[in-house]
Amino acid sequence: KGRHGYLHCRAGLQSELSRRWRANSELHDNFLLLTIEDAMEYGLFGPGRMRLEVRPRLGDFVAVSIGRKTLVSPTEVEMFKKPCQCQGAHGSLLPEEMSIPFILLLPDSRD
């Protein structure tokens, strides 16, 4: 589960997945579907070039939550309908998910 998910398509079915995504209002209205190449161009994976060995793990698309919805697998659906069974999920485009405090502690030079 997560606020973003990587989608792998069978060969030649990328346009079909994209078409079905746009046709499903629950998905289209709550998640931004980007090709991995577009996500790289927008800097979603950080600055610089991606390492070649990482690229195959990412699949064809990344779906990124643009609201409060979370992606779950079909096997997780029932579990997440119950109250207090949900663990936190993060990794999307909401400001509170993107603004992460950073504290740097340096060794005391007096030692």
Side-chain angles (χ1 to χ4, degrees), residues 12 18 23 31 36 43 48 63:
S18 184
F31 297 91
I36 296 301

Side-chain angles (χ1 to χ4, degrees), residues 54-69:
V54 172
R55 177 60 187 89
R57 297 182 202 168
L58 301 178
D60 300 290
F61 296 95
V62 59
V64 183
S65 181
I66 53 176
R68 300 262 176 224
K69 299 285 184 172

Side-chain angles (χ1 to χ4, degrees), residues 45-100:
F45 303 117
R49 298 183 59 90
M50 181 182 296
R51 294 176 57 136
L52 291 176
E53 62 268 20
V54 172
R55 177 60 187 89
R57 297 182 202 168
L58 301 178
D60 300 290
F61 296 95
V62 59
V64 183
S65 181
I66 53 176
R68 300 262 176 224
K69 299 285 184 172
T70 299
L71 293 170
V72 295
S73 71
T75 58
E76 295 172 314
V77 169
E78 287 304 314
M79 181 177 76
F80 286 100
K81 286 183 179 177
K82 299 173 188 169
C84 299
Q85 294 296 315
C86 296
Q87 294 177 339
H90 59 84
S92 191
L93 299 176
L94 296 178
E96 60 266 27
E97 294 174 301
M98 294 177 65
S99 298
I100 301 168

Side-chain angles (χ1 to χ4, degrees), residues 9-74:
C9 296
R10 291 192 174 138
L13 293 179
Q14 290 83 357
S15 60
E16 180 67 12
L17 184 137
S18 184
R19 184 189 67 74
R20 288 185 181 202
W21 193 276
R22 286 189 309 270
N24 183 310
S25 62
E26 184 73 18
L27 293 173
H28 183 265
D29 294 348
N30 293 291
F31 297 91
L32 179 63
L33 184 68
L34 298 170
T35 65
I36 296 301
E37 289 70 27
D38 285 343
M40 286 190 293
E41 187 176 314
Y42 296 140
L44 263 60
F45 303 117
R49 298 183 59 90
M50 181 182 296
R51 294 176 57 136
L52 291 176
E53 62 268 20
V54 172
R55 177 60 187 89
R57 297 182 202 168
L58 301 178
D60 300 290
F61 296 95
V62 59
V64 183
S65 181
I66 53 176
R68 300 262 176 224
K69 299 285 184 172
T70 299
L71 293 170
V72 295
S73 71

